[in-house]
Every structure is written in structure tokens, then in C-alpha cells.
Amino acid sequence: MSRFVVDPDWLPFDRDPTRPTFRVPAHAVDAHCHVFGPAHRFPFAPERKYTPCDAPKESLWKLRDFLGFERNVIVQATCHGADNSALVDALADADGLARGVATVRASITDDELRGLDAAGVRGVRFNFVRRLVDALPRDTLSGIAKRVAALGWHVVIYFEAEELPEHYEFFSTLPVTVVVDHMGRPDVSRDPDGPEFGLFLRLLRENGNIWSKVSCPERLSKSGPPHYTDVVPFARRVVEEFPDRVLWGTDWPHPNMKSHMPDDGVLVDFIPQIAVSMEAQRKLLVDNPMRLYWPEERK
Ligand code: 0GY
């Protein structure tokens, strides 16, 4: 039994998703998902901003197989703070079919970083979303970025669109590949040709090392499921302009969703709306994630 009490408004993940109509290409990678706990083995961090239900690795593997994916990239969730044990445990169980993105503090030793690398971690996440974390100072983040660059890792950044102006210069200076979560969380009620999303597109145009996940229609959409129509022009624009720098992920188990809990099969069916050709789909789901996470065995 866990001593943690799940947040009263927590929406649990859907244990019975629809089988998607869209068939993902062979060797597809779900490049953004999480594991939570189980809390009795991997306690949540004292500094966490939410307490989720358990979402263990076994459930993730089951979903991966059901949706037709081959591999996962597991992103350390903020509810586990900088204790990457649940992530490392999942990677150890994945038979080489999962890679990780960790959260680290400046105090992490080089030996610990090498240990994470051996476990399959290939990146660190810098989170600027205030409801999720107390962000670290920029010089600390720069120091971490330099250290992980030596391992060939990349940096994942999570921020909301209104925060981009204040971070734009900083993001442009990061000395590694940078992957933006969920297209920088645009307000999709605005014009995709307007200044807010324009600044995000400019960030990618001016910095050839910056990639984007075109994930999370369920989080961004105001029109809602099943088609998440209002997100399509944003995600499709990014896929079409930067076909070699986009990734896609389910975001299972969908932390902090309040409007609804998405059906992961429906999310997979969103993919052909934003990556229209088979070539774009293959780049998004196979070539790009393989290049970033499994460069040693590119398909
Ligand atoms: C996401 C989004 C969220 C949460 C986290 O690590 C996390 O806690 O990433 C969110 O609440 O927006 O990408 O899963």
C-alpha cells in the first residue's frame, strides 16, 4: 500500500483505449510518455506539485503494443523530482526498447550521469512551467547543459507560449540539440500565422539545433476530441516546415488533464491529420526519434 493520496481531481488514464484506425509505420517510437511509481516502490518527491495515480511500466508496455509502437522515450515526470529511479527501473525492463529523459540537479556527480547514460538516458528536461516546478536559475541550467553535452545528450524544454519571449535568447544559446515539448504550448484559439506562434516558428528557423514535439492536442485543444481540429494547423505547420526535427508522443498517462482523459487510440488517429504523407509519418515516428535516441541502430 502506498502512503500517497491521489489528488481528488486526478483523472486516471484510460485502461481500455480504442484500437486506432491509423497504422503507425514499423519501428515507430512513442517519444513522449511517463511512468508514475508505483508509489510504494518509487515514492513521489516531497517537492512535487501533484500526486497522481500509479502508472507503472507494465501498463506502458501494454499500451505500446496495443497501439502498434515498438519503442518509448520516457520523460521523467515532475512528481518524481530529480529521483530518476522509476525511470531507470522502466528502462532496465524495456530490453533496449526505451530511452529516457531525466531530471537532474547541479549536484549530480559525473559518475551518476554516466550511470544514467548506461541505463539509457539520453537527455535532461528543463521545465519552466510554474505550476509544475520551481525553475532552476539559468546559470545552473547552462552548467548542466554543458555537462550533458559531453555525453552527447540533448535538452528537452517545457514552457508555455507566453513565457517564450523571456527565454528566447537563453534557449538560443543552449549548446546541444534542444527539443521543445508540445510546440511550446501555443494558445490555439489564436492565429497560427500570428505573432505568438510566429515567435516559436522563428525559434526553430533561427536555430537548426532546436526540434519540436508535435504532441498533446488533448492539452492544447479547445475544440476537443475526437478530432482536436483547432490544433491541426499548428502541428501541421511545424511538421511541414521542419520535417526532420519533429517528434510525436502520446504523453501517456496524461498528467494533470482536467477537461477530459484522452483515448490514446484517438490520439494516434490524430497523426495523419498533421503528418499527411507516408514520408512525413516515417520521419516523425521512426527516422527522427531513431536518430536522436538510437543513433547506433538507425533504421
Ligand atoms: C506533460 C505535461 C505535464 C506534466 C509533466 O512532468 C510532468 O509533470 O510533464 C503537464 O502537466 O502539463 O508533458 O506530461
Side-chain angles (χ1 to χ4, degrees), residues 187-224:
D187 176 347
V188 299
S189 65
R190 297 193 178 167
D191 183 354
D193 294 316
E196 185 185 89
F197 201 55
L199 187 67
F200 174 71
L201 294 171
R202 197 179 114 201
L203 182 73
L204 268 69
R205 270 181 212 134
E206 288 182 349
N207 298 278
N209 62 318
I210 303 190
W211 297 34
S212 178
K213 291 179 199 162
V214 287
S215 41
C216 267
E218 73 284 9
R219 225 176 256 292
L220 303 177
S221 180
K222 299 185 194 321
S223 60

PDB file of all heavy atoms in Angstrom, residues 187-224:
ATOM      1  N   ASP A 187      -1.420  28.992 -27.655  1.00  0.00           N
ATOM      2  CA  ASP A 187      -2.853  29.196 -27.455  1.00  0.00           C
ATOM      3  C   ASP A 187      -3.485  29.004 -28.833  1.00  0.00           C
ATOM      4  O   ASP A 187      -3.368  29.867 -29.708  1.00  0.00           O
ATOM      5  CB  ASP A 187      -3.089  30.617 -26.920  1.00  0.00           C
ATOM      6  CG  ASP A 187      -4.575  30.926 -26.778  1.00  0.00           C
ATOM      7  OD1 ASP A 187      -5.417  30.163 -27.309  1.00  0.00           O
ATOM      8  OD2 ASP A 187      -4.896  31.949 -26.147  1.00  0.00           O
ATOM      9  N   VAL A 188      -4.138  27.847 -29.030  1.00  0.00           N
ATOM     10  CA  VAL A 188      -4.618  27.506 -30.376  1.00  0.00           C
ATOM     11  C   VAL A 188      -5.901  28.246 -30.762  1.00  0.00           C
ATOM     12  O   VAL A 188      -6.414  28.053 -31.858  1.00  0.00           O
ATOM     13  CB  VAL A 188      -4.791  25.973 -30.561  1.00  0.00           C
ATOM     14  CG1 VAL A 188      -3.475  25.261 -30.380  1.00  0.00           C
ATOM     15  CG2 VAL A 188      -5.874  25.427 -29.645  1.00  0.00           C
ATOM     16  N   SER A 189      -6.408  29.096 -29.848  1.00  0.00           N
ATOM     17  CA  SER A 189      -7.524  29.952 -30.270  1.00  0.00           C
ATOM     18  C   SER A 189      -6.978  31.153 -31.039  1.00  0.00           C
ATOM     19  O   SER A 189      -7.725  31.926 -31.628  1.00  0.00           O
ATOM     20  CB  SER A 189      -8.362  30.405 -29.070  1.00  0.00           C
ATOM     21  OG  SER A 189      -7.598  31.236 -28.238  1.00  0.00           O
ATOM     22  N   ARG A 190      -5.651  31.316 -31.022  1.00  0.00           N
ATOM     23  CA  ARG A 190      -5.045  32.424 -31.775  1.00  0.00           C
ATOM     24  C   ARG A 190      -4.714  31.967 -33.192  1.00  0.00           C
ATOM     25  O   ARG A 190      -4.771  30.790 -33.514  1.00  0.00           O
ATOM     26  CB  ARG A 190      -3.779  32.896 -31.063  1.00  0.00           C
ATOM     27  CG  ARG A 190      -4.094  33.448 -29.703  1.00  0.00           C
ATOM     28  CD  ARG A 190      -2.941  34.185 -29.104  1.00  0.00           C
ATOM     29  NE  ARG A 190      -3.350  34.728 -27.811  1.00  0.00           N
ATOM     30  CZ  ARG A 190      -2.530  35.222 -26.910  1.00  0.00           C
ATOM     31  NH1 ARG A 190      -1.231  35.242 -27.148  1.00  0.00           N
ATOM     32  NH2 ARG A 190      -2.988  35.689 -25.763  1.00  0.00           N
ATOM     33  N   ASP A 191      -4.284  32.931 -33.977  1.00  0.00           N
ATOM     34  CA  ASP A 191      -3.979  32.678 -35.386  1.00  0.00           C
ATOM     35  C   ASP A 191      -2.627  31.954 -35.499  1.00  0.00           C
ATOM     36  O   ASP A 191      -1.625  32.448 -34.975  1.00  0.00           O
ATOM     37  CB  ASP A 191      -3.924  34.055 -36.081  1.00  0.00           C
ATOM     38  CG  ASP A 191      -3.686  33.956 -37.559  1.00  0.00           C
ATOM     39  OD1 ASP A 191      -3.453  32.845 -38.067  1.00  0.00           O
ATOM     40  OD2 ASP A 191      -3.708  35.027 -38.204  1.00  0.00           O
ATOM     41  N   PRO A 192      -2.590  30.818 -36.204  1.00  0.00           N
ATOM     42  CA  PRO A 192      -1.282  30.164 -36.393  1.00  0.00           C
ATOM     43  C   PRO A 192      -0.292  31.032 -37.174  1.00  0.00           C
ATOM     44  O   PRO A 192       0.918  30.809 -37.101  1.00  0.00           O
ATOM     45  CB  PRO A 192      -1.608  28.873 -37.162  1.00  0.00           C
ATOM     46  CG  PRO A 192      -3.017  28.990 -37.613  1.00  0.00           C
ATOM     47  CD  PRO A 192      -3.693  30.043 -36.796  1.00  0.00           C
ATOM     48  N   ASP A 193      -0.835  32.041 -37.883  1.00  0.00           N
ATOM     49  CA  ASP A 193       0.046  32.972 -38.590  1.00  0.00           C
ATOM     50  C   ASP A 193       0.328  34.229 -37.759  1.00  0.00           C
ATOM     51  O   ASP A 193       0.941  35.183 -38.255  1.00  0.00           O
ATOM     52  CB  ASP A 193      -0.587  33.405 -39.923  1.00  0.00           C
ATOM     53  CG  ASP A 193      -0.686  32.237 -40.872  1.00  0.00           C
ATOM     54  OD1 ASP A 193       0.304  31.475 -40.967  1.00  0.00           O
ATOM     55  OD2 ASP A 193      -1.751  32.058 -41.504  1.00  0.00           O
ATOM     56  N   GLY A 194      -0.140  34.246 -36.528  1.00  0.00           N
ATOM     57  CA  GLY A 194       0.015  35.435 -35.690  1.00  0.00           C
ATOM     58  C   GLY A 194       1.359  35.478 -34.976  1.00  0.00           C
ATOM     59  O   GLY A 194       2.180  34.575 -35.108  1.00  0.00           O
ATOM     60  N   PRO A 195       1.549  36.544 -34.173  1.00  0.00           N
ATOM     61  CA  PRO A 195       2.867  36.766 -33.564  1.00  0.00           C
ATOM     62  C   PRO A 195       3.265  35.709 -32.522  1.00  0.00           C
ATOM     63  O   PRO A 195       4.438  35.382 -32.407  1.00  0.00           O
ATOM     64  CB  PRO A 195       2.739  38.152 -32.903  1.00  0.00           C
ATOM     65  CG  PRO A 195       1.290  38.457 -32.862  1.00  0.00           C
ATOM     66  CD  PRO A 195       0.619  37.655 -33.929  1.00  0.00           C
ATOM     67  N   GLU A 196       2.283  35.164 -31.784  1.00  0.00           N
ATOM     68  CA  GLU A 196       2.677  34.218 -30.727  1.00  0.00           C
ATOM     69  C   GLU A 196       3.314  32.973 -31.330  1.00  0.00           C
ATOM     70  O   GLU A 196       4.440  32.591 -30.990  1.00  0.00           O
ATOM     71  CB  GLU A 196       1.471  33.823 -29.865  1.00  0.00           C
ATOM     72  CG  GLU A 196       1.900  32.946 -28.696  1.00  0.00           C
ATOM     73  CD  GLU A 196       0.718  32.438 -27.888  1.00  0.00           C
ATOM     74  OE1 GLU A 196       0.181  31.365 -28.218  1.00  0.00           O
ATOM     75  OE2 GLU A 196       0.348  33.117 -26.918  1.00  0.00           O
ATOM     76  N   PHE A 197       2.607  32.330 -32.249  1.00  0.00           N
ATOM     77  CA  PHE A 197       3.171  31.110 -32.841  1.00  0.00           C
ATOM     78  C   PHE A 197       4.329  31.468 -33.784  1.00  0.00           C
ATOM     79  O   PHE A 197       5.261  30.688 -33.964  1.00  0.00           O
ATOM     80  CB  PHE A 197       2.075  30.327 -33.567  1.00  0.00           C
ATOM     81  CG  PHE A 197       2.421  28.885 -33.754  1.00  0.00           C
ATOM     82  CD1 PHE A 197       2.774  28.081 -32.677  1.00  0.00           C
ATOM     83  CD2 PHE A 197       2.419  28.314 -35.018  1.00  0.00           C
ATOM     84  CE1 PHE A 197       3.106  26.744 -32.851  1.00  0.00           C
ATOM     85  CE2 PHE A 197       2.746  26.973 -35.205  1.00  0.00           C
ATOM     86  CZ  PHE A 197       3.095  26.186 -34.114  1.00  0.00           C
ATOM     87  N   GLY A 198       4.253  32.677 -34.330  1.00  0.00           N
ATOM     88  CA  GLY A 198       5.335  33.147 -35.199  1.00  0.00           C
ATOM     89  C   GLY A 198       6.667  33.166 -34.467  1.00  0.00           C
ATOM     90  O   GLY A 198       7.709  32.830 -35.041  1.00  0.00           O
ATOM     91  N   LEU A 199       6.636  33.547 -33.200  1.00  0.00           N
ATOM     92  CA  LEU A 199       7.892  33.592 -32.441  1.00  0.00           C
ATOM     93  C   LEU A 199       8.450  32.178 -32.250  1.00  0.00           C
ATOM     94  O   LEU A 199       9.654  31.945 -32.343  1.00  0.00           O
ATOM     95  CB  LEU A 199       7.661  34.253 -31.077  1.00  0.00           C
ATOM     96  CG  LEU A 199       8.938  34.499 -30.267  1.00  0.00           C
ATOM     97  CD1 LEU A 199       9.835  35.547 -30.948  1.00  0.00           C
ATOM     98  CD2 LEU A 199       8.614  34.933 -28.839  1.00  0.00           C
ATOM     99  N   PHE A 200       7.559  31.238 -32.022  1.00  0.00           N
ATOM    100  CA  PHE A 200       8.000  29.848 -31.875  1.00  0.00           C
ATOM    101  C   PHE A 200       8.605  29.336 -33.191  1.00  0.00           C
ATOM    102  O   PHE A 200       9.677  28.715 -33.201  1.00  0.00           O
ATOM    103  CB  PHE A 200       6.824  28.977 -31.440  1.00  0.00           C
ATOM    104  CG  PHE A 200       7.165  27.520 -31.413  1.00  0.00           C
ATOM    105  CD1 PHE A 200       8.008  27.025 -30.436  1.00  0.00           C
ATOM    106  CD2 PHE A 200       6.678  26.658 -32.378  1.00  0.00           C
ATOM    107  CE1 PHE A 200       8.367  25.679 -30.421  1.00  0.00           C
ATOM    108  CE2 PHE A 200       7.023  25.320 -32.374  1.00  0.00           C
ATOM    109  CZ  PHE A 200       7.864  24.825 -31.389  1.00  0.00           C
ATOM    110  N   LEU A 201       7.934  29.621 -34.301  1.00  0.00           N
ATOM    111  CA  LEU A 201       8.461  29.177 -35.596  1.00  0.00           C
ATOM    112  C   LEU A 201       9.814  29.829 -35.864  1.00  0.00           C
ATOM    113  O   LEU A 201      10.739  29.196 -36.378  1.00  0.00           O
ATOM    114  CB  LEU A 201       7.464  29.505 -36.714  1.00  0.00           C
ATOM    115  CG  LEU A 201       6.132  28.733 -36.646  1.00  0.00           C
ATOM    116  CD1 LEU A 201       5.139  29.296 -37.676  1.00  0.00           C
ATOM    117  CD2 LEU A 201       6.324  27.241 -36.881  1.00  0.00           C
ATOM    118  N   ARG A 202       9.930  31.097 -35.451  1.00  0.00           N
ATOM    119  CA  ARG A 202      11.213  31.789 -35.641  1.00  0.00           C
ATOM    120  C   ARG A 202      12.328  31.121 -34.834  1.00  0.00           C
ATOM    121  O   ARG A 202      13.459  30.972 -35.286  1.00  0.00           O
ATOM    122  CB  ARG A 202      11.059  33.254 -35.210  1.00  0.00           C
ATOM    123  CG  ARG A 202      12.170  34.127 -35.728  1.00  0.00           C
ATOM    124  CD  ARG A 202      11.961  35.576 -35.295  1.00  0.00           C
ATOM    125  NE  ARG A 202      13.035  35.957 -34.378  1.00  0.00           N
ATOM    126  CZ  ARG A 202      12.975  36.954 -33.519  1.00  0.00           C
ATOM    127  NH1 ARG A 202      11.886  37.688 -33.410  1.00  0.00           N
ATOM    128  NH2 ARG A 202      13.996  37.234 -32.750  1.00  0.00           N
ATOM    129  N   LEU A 203      11.967  30.674 -33.625  1.00  0.00           N
ATOM    130  CA  LEU A 203      12.969  29.985 -32.786  1.00  0.00           C
ATOM    131  C   LEU A 203      13.541  28.774 -33.532  1.00  0.00           C
ATOM    132  O   LEU A 203      14.754  28.544 -33.527  1.00  0.00           O
ATOM    133  CB  LEU A 203      12.310  29.544 -31.473  1.00  0.00           C
ATOM    134  CG  LEU A 203      13.209  28.848 -30.459  1.00  0.00           C
ATOM    135  CD1 LEU A 203      14.161  29.845 -29.790  1.00  0.00           C
ATOM    136  CD2 LEU A 203      12.386  28.125 -29.387  1.00  0.00           C
ATOM    137  N   LEU A 204      12.689  28.030 -34.185  1.00  0.00           N
ATOM    138  CA  LEU A 204      13.150  26.845 -34.921  1.00  0.00           C
ATOM    139  C   LEU A 204      13.875  27.236 -36.217  1.00  0.00           C
ATOM    140  O   LEU A 204      14.858  26.601 -36.588  1.00  0.00           O
ATOM    141  CB  LEU A 204      11.976  25.905 -35.229  1.00  0.00           C
ATOM    142  CG  LEU A 204      11.757  24.818 -34.168  1.00  0.00           C
ATOM    143  CD1 LEU A 204      11.256  25.390 -32.860  1.00  0.00           C
ATOM    144  CD2 LEU A 204      10.794  23.739 -34.665  1.00  0.00           C
ATOM    145  N   ARG A 205      13.398  28.301 -36.856  1.00  0.00           N
ATOM    146  CA  ARG A 205      14.059  28.730 -38.105  1.00  0.00           C
ATOM    147  C   ARG A 205      15.469  29.231 -37.828  1.00  0.00           C
ATOM    148  O   ARG A 205      16.395  28.947 -38.569  1.00  0.00           O
ATOM    149  CB  ARG A 205      13.266  29.895 -38.719  1.00  0.00           C
ATOM    150  CG  ARG A 205      12.207  29.431 -39.665  1.00  0.00           C
ATOM    151  CD  ARG A 205      11.443  30.605 -40.270  1.00  0.00           C
ATOM    152  NE  ARG A 205      10.085  30.157 -40.502  1.00  0.00           N
ATOM    153  CZ  ARG A 205       8.984  30.824 -40.199  1.00  0.00           C
ATOM    154  NH1 ARG A 205       9.041  32.040 -39.665  1.00  0.00           N
ATOM    155  NH2 ARG A 205       7.802  30.293 -40.437  1.00  0.00           N
ATOM    156  N   GLU A 206      15.622  29.956 -36.722  1.00  0.00           N
ATOM    157  CA  GLU A 206      16.923  30.568 -36.451  1.00  0.00           C
ATOM    158  C   GLU A 206      17.903  29.616 -35.788  1.00  0.00           C
ATOM    159  O   GLU A 206      19.085  29.914 -35.678  1.00  0.00           O
ATOM    160  CB  GLU A 206      16.732  31.802 -35.544  1.00  0.00           C
ATOM    161  CG  GLU A 206      16.096  32.956 -36.267  1.00  0.00           C
ATOM    162  CD  GLU A 206      15.955  34.201 -35.394  1.00  0.00           C
ATOM    163  OE1 GLU A 206      16.155  34.117 -34.161  1.00  0.00           O
ATOM    164  OE2 GLU A 206      15.626  35.250 -35.972  1.00  0.00           O
ATOM    165  N   ASN A 207      17.397  28.503 -35.277  1.00  0.00           N
ATOM    166  CA  ASN A 207      18.251  27.583 -34.527  1.00  0.00           C
ATOM    167  C   ASN A 207      18.063  26.168 -35.070  1.00  0.00           C
ATOM    168  O   ASN A 207      17.121  25.469 -34.684  1.00  0.00           O
ATOM    169  CB  ASN A 207      17.903  27.616 -33.034  1.00  0.00           C
ATOM    170  CG  ASN A 207      18.131  28.981 -32.415  1.00  0.00           C
ATOM    171  OD1 ASN A 207      19.246  29.334 -32.048  1.00  0.00           O
ATOM    172  ND2 ASN A 207      17.075  29.777 -32.337  1.00  0.00           N
ATOM    173  N   GLY A 208      18.961  25.763 -35.922  1.00  0.00           N
ATOM    174  CA  GLY A 208      18.856  24.454 -36.562  1.00  0.00           C
ATOM    175  C   GLY A 208      18.990  23.298 -35.594  1.00  0.00           C
ATOM    176  O   GLY A 208      18.706  22.150 -35.952  1.00  0.00           O
ATOM    177  N   ASN A 209      19.401  23.580 -34.351  1.00  0.00           N
ATOM    178  CA  ASN A 209      19.536  22.525 -33.336  1.00  0.00           C
ATOM    179  C   ASN A 209      18.258  22.358 -32.512  1.00  0.00           C
ATOM    180  O   ASN A 209      18.214  21.513 -31.622  1.00  0.00           O
ATOM    181  CB  ASN A 209      20.701  22.845 -32.382  1.00  0.00           C
ATOM    182  CG  ASN A 209      20.485  24.148 -31.617  1.00  0.00           C
ATOM    183  OD1 ASN A 209      20.023  25.141 -32.184  1.00  0.00           O
ATOM    184  ND2 ASN A 209      20.780  24.150 -30.337  1.00  0.00           N
ATOM    185  N   ILE A 210      17.228  23.168 -32.776  1.00  0.00           N
ATOM    186  CA  ILE A 210      16.008  23.078 -31.963  1.00  0.00           C
ATOM    187  C   ILE A 210      14.938  22.282 -32.705  1.00  0.00           C
ATOM    188  O   ILE A 210      14.618  22.565 -33.867  1.00  0.00           O
ATOM    189  CB  ILE A 210      15.498  24.476 -31.540  1.00  0.00           C
ATOM    190  CG1 ILE A 210      16.611  25.212 -30.774  1.00  0.00           C
ATOM    191  CG2 ILE A 210      14.240  24.350 -30.694  1.00  0.00           C
ATOM    192  CD1 ILE A 210      16.182  26.511 -30.089  1.00  0.00           C
ATOM    193  N   TRP A 211      14.408  21.277 -32.015  1.00  0.00           N
ATOM    194  CA  TRP A 211      13.368  20.387 -32.532  1.00  0.00           C
ATOM    195  C   TRP A 211      12.070  20.666 -31.774  1.00  0.00           C
ATOM    196  O   TRP A 211      12.071  21.364 -30.757  1.00  0.00           O
ATOM    197  CB  TRP A 211      13.737  18.929 -32.282  1.00  0.00           C
ATOM    198  CG  TRP A 211      14.967  18.376 -32.932  1.00  0.00           C
ATOM    199  CD1 TRP A 211      16.146  19.018 -33.204  1.00  0.00           C
ATOM    200  CD2 TRP A 211      15.157  17.014 -33.361  1.00  0.00           C
ATOM    201  NE1 TRP A 211      17.039  18.140 -33.767  1.00  0.00           N
ATOM    202  CE2 TRP A 211      16.465  16.908 -33.874  1.00  0.00           C
ATOM    203  CE3 TRP A 211      14.343  15.867 -33.349  1.00  0.00           C
ATOM    204  CZ2 TRP A 211      16.976  15.713 -34.373  1.00  0.00           C
ATOM    205  CZ3 TRP A 211      14.854  14.678 -33.842  1.00  0.00           C
ATOM    206  CH2 TRP A 211      16.159  14.601 -34.367  1.00  0.00           C
ATOM    207  N   SER A 212      10.990  20.046 -32.240  1.00  0.00           N
ATOM    208  CA  SER A 212       9.721  20.190 -31.503  1.00  0.00           C
ATOM    209  C   SER A 212       8.954  18.880 -31.464  1.00  0.00           C
ATOM    210  O   SER A 212       8.919  18.141 -32.449  1.00  0.00           O
ATOM    211  CB  SER A 212       8.842  21.245 -32.173  1.00  0.00           C
ATOM    212  OG  SER A 212       7.602  21.348 -31.484  1.00  0.00           O
ATOM    213  N   LYS A 213       8.348  18.615 -30.326  1.00  0.00           N
ATOM    214  CA  LYS A 213       7.339  17.550 -30.265  1.00  0.00           C
ATOM    215  C   LYS A 213       6.012  18.162 -30.716  1.00  0.00           C
ATOM    216  O   LYS A 213       5.630  19.221 -30.215  1.00  0.00           O
ATOM    217  CB  LYS A 213       7.197  17.018 -28.840  1.00  0.00           C
ATOM    218  CG  LYS A 213       8.418  16.243 -28.386  1.00  0.00           C
ATOM    219  CD  LYS A 213       8.265  15.747 -26.971  1.00  0.00           C
ATOM    220  CE  LYS A 213       9.626  15.412 -26.393  1.00  0.00           C
ATOM    221  NZ  LYS A 213       9.624  15.334 -24.927  1.00  0.00           N
ATOM    222  N   VAL A 214       5.364  17.481 -31.644  1.00  0.00           N
ATOM    223  CA  VAL A 214       4.062  17.971 -32.119  1.00  0.00           C
ATOM    224  C   VAL A 214       2.970  17.153 -31.419  1.00  0.00           C
ATOM    225  O   VAL A 214       2.056  16.627 -32.044  1.00  0.00           O
ATOM    226  CB  VAL A 214       3.961  17.912 -33.661  1.00  0.00           C
ATOM    227  CG1 VAL A 214       4.811  19.002 -34.279  1.00  0.00           C
ATOM    228  CG2 VAL A 214       4.392  16.551 -34.209  1.00  0.00           C
ATOM    229  N   SER A 215       3.106  17.095 -30.127  1.00  0.00           N
ATOM    230  CA  SER A 215       2.285  16.230 -29.280  1.00  0.00           C
ATOM    231  C   SER A 215       1.251  17.054 -28.517  1.00  0.00           C
ATOM    232  O   SER A 215       1.287  18.279 -28.529  1.00  0.00           O
ATOM    233  CB  SER A 215       3.214  15.517 -28.288  1.00  0.00           C
ATOM    234  OG  SER A 215       4.189  16.428 -27.819  1.00  0.00           O
ATOM    235  N   CYS A 216       0.391  16.346 -27.837  1.00  0.00           N
ATOM    236  CA  CYS A 216      -0.546  16.918 -26.873  1.00  0.00           C
ATOM    237  C   CYS A 216      -1.692  17.732 -27.446  1.00  0.00           C
ATOM    238  O   CYS A 216      -2.064  18.772 -26.876  1.00  0.00           O
ATOM    239  CB  CYS A 216       0.192  17.769 -25.850  1.00  0.00           C
ATOM    240  SG  CYS A 216       0.613  16.820 -24.416  1.00  0.00           S
ATOM    241  N   PRO A 217      -2.330  17.289 -28.533  1.00  0.00           N
ATOM    242  CA  PRO A 217      -3.521  18.019 -28.974  1.00  0.00           C
ATOM    243  C   PRO A 217      -4.559  18.089 -27.860  1.00  0.00           C
ATOM    244  O   PRO A 217      -5.270  19.086 -27.724  1.00  0.00           O
ATOM    245  CB  PRO A 217      -4.025  17.190 -30.167  1.00  0.00           C
ATOM    246  CG  PRO A 217      -3.450  15.836 -29.982  1.00  0.00           C
ATOM    247  CD  PRO A 217      -2.120  16.062 -29.312  1.00  0.00           C
ATOM    248  N   GLU A 218      -4.618  17.033 -27.044  1.00  0.00           N
ATOM    249  CA  GLU A 218      -5.636  16.985 -25.982  1.00  0.00           C
ATOM    250  C   GLU A 218      -5.430  18.086 -24.947  1.00  0.00           C
ATOM    251  O   GLU A 218      -6.373  18.533 -24.306  1.00  0.00           O
ATOM    252  CB  GLU A 218      -5.638  15.598 -25.311  1.00  0.00           C
ATOM    253  CG  GLU A 218      -4.474  15.272 -24.395  1.00  0.00           C
ATOM    254  CD  GLU A 218      -3.166  14.927 -25.097  1.00  0.00           C
ATOM    255  OE1 GLU A 218      -3.074  15.084 -26.326  1.00  0.00           O
ATOM    256  OE2 GLU A 218      -2.219  14.518 -24.402  1.00  0.00           O
ATOM    257  N   ARG A 219      -4.194  18.517 -24.772  1.00  0.00           N
ATOM    258  CA  ARG A 219      -3.882  19.545 -23.786  1.00  0.00           C
ATOM    259  C   ARG A 219      -4.078  20.936 -24.367  1.00  0.00           C
ATOM    260  O   ARG A 219      -4.410  21.882 -23.667  1.00  0.00           O
ATOM    261  CB  ARG A 219      -2.413  19.379 -23.402  1.00  0.00           C
ATOM    262  CG  ARG A 219      -2.101  19.438 -21.961  1.00  0.00           C
ATOM    263  CD  ARG A 219      -0.626  19.160 -21.756  1.00  0.00           C
ATOM    264  NE  ARG A 219      -0.401  17.827 -21.268  1.00  0.00           N
ATOM    265  CZ  ARG A 219      -0.752  17.396 -20.063  1.00  0.00           C
ATOM    266  NH1 ARG A 219      -1.346  18.200 -19.207  1.00  0.00           N
ATOM    267  NH2 ARG A 219      -0.499  16.161 -19.678  1.00  0.00           N
ATOM    268  N   LEU A 220      -3.850  21.049 -25.671  1.00  0.00           N
ATOM    269  CA  LEU A 220      -3.873  22.364 -26.315  1.00  0.00           C
ATOM    270  C   LEU A 220      -5.256  22.732 -26.829  1.00  0.00           C
ATOM    271  O   LEU A 220      -5.601  23.905 -26.934  1.00  0.00           O
ATOM    272  CB  LEU A 220      -2.893  22.377 -27.500  1.00  0.00           C
ATOM    273  CG  LEU A 220      -1.440  22.021 -27.175  1.00  0.00           C
ATOM    274  CD1 LEU A 220      -0.604  21.991 -28.452  1.00  0.00           C
ATOM    275  CD2 LEU A 220      -0.856  23.029 -26.198  1.00  0.00           C
ATOM    276  N   SER A 221      -6.032  21.707 -27.175  1.00  0.00           N
ATOM    277  CA  SER A 221      -7.277  21.938 -27.907  1.00  0.00           C
ATOM    278  C   SER A 221      -8.354  22.579 -27.039  1.00  0.00           C
ATOM    279  O   SER A 221      -8.511  22.237 -25.872  1.00  0.00           O
ATOM    280  CB  SER A 221      -7.798  20.601 -28.419  1.00  0.00           C
ATOM    281  OG  SER A 221      -8.990  20.796 -29.136  1.00  0.00           O
ATOM    282  N   LYS A 222      -9.110  23.484 -27.651  1.00  0.00           N
ATOM    283  CA  LYS A 222     -10.323  23.982 -27.015  1.00  0.00           C
ATOM    284  C   LYS A 222     -11.532  23.340 -27.680  1.00  0.00           C
ATOM    285  O   LYS A 222     -12.587  23.217 -27.080  1.00  0.00           O
ATOM    286  CB  LYS A 222     -10.376  25.509 -27.099  1.00  0.00           C
ATOM    287  CG  LYS A 222      -9.174  26.140 -26.361  1.00  0.00           C
ATOM    288  CD  LYS A 222      -9.246  27.641 -26.312  1.00  0.00           C
ATOM    289  CE  LYS A 222      -7.951  28.341 -25.911  1.00  0.00           C
ATOM    290  NZ  LYS A 222      -7.122  27.763 -24.874  1.00  0.00           N
ATOM    291  N   SER A 223     -11.365  22.906 -28.945  1.00  0.00           N
ATOM    292  CA  SER A 223     -12.497  22.248 -29.635  1.00  0.00           C
ATOM    293  C   SER A 223     -12.673  20.812 -29.149  1.00  0.00           C
ATOM    294  O   SER A 223     -13.777  20.273 -29.205  1.00  0.00           O
ATOM    295  CB  SER A 223     -12.314  22.296 -31.151  1.00  0.00           C
ATOM    296  OG  SER A 223     -11.136  21.637 -31.546  1.00  0.00           O
ATOM    297  N   GLY A 224     -11.603  20.180 -28.685  1.00  0.00           N
ATOM    298  CA  GLY A 224     -11.717  18.892 -28.008  1.00  0.00           C
ATOM    299  C   GLY A 224     -11.710  17.673 -28.918  1.00  0.00           C
ATOM    300  O   GLY A 224     -11.589  17.778 -30.144  1.00  0.00           O
TER     301      GLY A 224
END
